[in-house]
Amino acid sequence: MHAEPPMKPWVDLDKVYDASTLARRVSQLGREITADFSAAPLTLIGVLKGSFVFYSDLARAIDRPMRNDFIELSSYGAERETSGAVRMTKALGASIEGEHVVVVEDVVDTGLSVRYLLDHFAGYRPKSLSICTLLDKPSRRRVEVPLDYVGFTIPDIFVVGYGLDHAERYRNLPFLGVYRETD
Ligand code: IMP
Ligand code: MG
């Protein structure tokens, strides 16, 4: 029988950013995006599932009318290392032609997911296309991608919480913590 790995107690995860640090940074990003799109209709596209917590906080920190849509990508499965092949498992609900689009990501690691999204969305002819990511791990980049808004730049550590998972767990942690396999 397949045994589930025991879930670590939340208190055992080293905090990287606590809830109030995250909230402060997200509201700054919201103010920046509000200012940058002051006269433009905006579509905020969340990349599921990792961005769902960040997305909901960021959307409420942007003081502009907007459309909300989501796309789902899959590349990791239950593993920590990307297979390199990005797959779309849920498409957008509506056209983005002529729209100013801000794509909301949880973390940019190898860059392969953002590369895929930029290529995919460009085909739908948005008026502009920007990337907003909560976290950036530049040391693991395999393809260069332009990032317009970055919450925090972090070293090569595997983090969970605030939407990010390890094997579909820990997404509902209210803070960001380091996940260590050997703990
Ligand atoms: P990419 O390698 O830039 O394509 O990153 C793709 C995805 O890998 C991210 O959107 C996350 O879902 C996942 N990922 C990368 N690093 C982490 C991490 O530290 N914790 C949880 N998920 C991660
Ligand atoms: Mg992601």
Side-chain angles (χ1 to χ4, degrees):
M1 198 178 122
H2 174 74
E4 287 265 315
M7 192 148 161
K8 290 171 190 163
W10 289 8
V11 286
D12 284 357
L13 293 163
D14 286 343
K15 272 184 200 159
V16 178
Y17 299 114
D18 64 15
S20 63
T21 306
L22 291 167
R24 265 198 310 278
R25 186 67 189 120
V26 173
S27 73
Q28 283 170 352
L29 289 172
R31 280 198 295 277
E32 258 185 71
I33 294 172
T34 303
D36 290 353
F37 295 90
S38 59
L42 186 63
T43 299
L44 203 62
I45 297 179
V47 185
L48 296 172
K49 289 178 228 172
S51 77
F52 84 102
V53 177
F54 175 44
Y55 183 103
S56 70
D57 285 345
L58 182 68
R60 287 173 291 172
I62 299 172
D63 190 17
R64 298 291 309 160
M66 65 170 70
R67 296 188 200 201
N68 299 94
D69 208 343
F70 297 90
I71 189 169
E72 185 170 30
L73 298 185
S74 174
S75 63
Y76 266 65
E79 301 302 321
R80 283 163 67 151
E81 289 296 316
T82 183
S83 60
V86 180
R87 198 160 59 88
M88 183 172 63
T89 48
K90 182 212 168 299
L92 289 182
S95 166
I96 52 167
E97 188 169 343
E99 292 279 314
H100 290 282
V101 169
V102 176
V103 177
V104 181
E105 261 287 19
D106 52 356
V107 45
V108 179
D109 186 25
T110 62
L112 290 167
S113 303
V114 168
R115 184 73 266 156
Y116 176 94
L117 290 169
L118 288 169
D119 294 344
H120 178 74
F121 290 143
Y124 292 99
R125 302 175 351 130
K127 198 167 204 160
S128 71
L129 187 52
S130 311
I131 304 288
C132 175
T133 184
L134 176 68
L135 303 171
D136 182 15
K137 282 197 221 175
S139 61
R140 302 226 332 143
R141 206 68 98 244
R142 281 162 59 180
V143 291
E144 279 316 310
V145 286
L147 302 178
D148 303 276
Y149 307 96
V150 174
F152 302 97
T153 299
I154 61 169
D156 182 12
I157 51 174
F158 197 86
V159 291
V160 294
Y162 200 65
L164 288 88
D165 74 308
H166 178 261
E168 292 303 328
R169 288 168 165 207
Y170 305 102
R171 291 192 194 276
N172 63 320
L173 275 181
F175 59 87
L176 263 176
V178 194
Y179 182 89
R180 288 191 199 86
E181 206 74 72
T182 50
D183 280 356

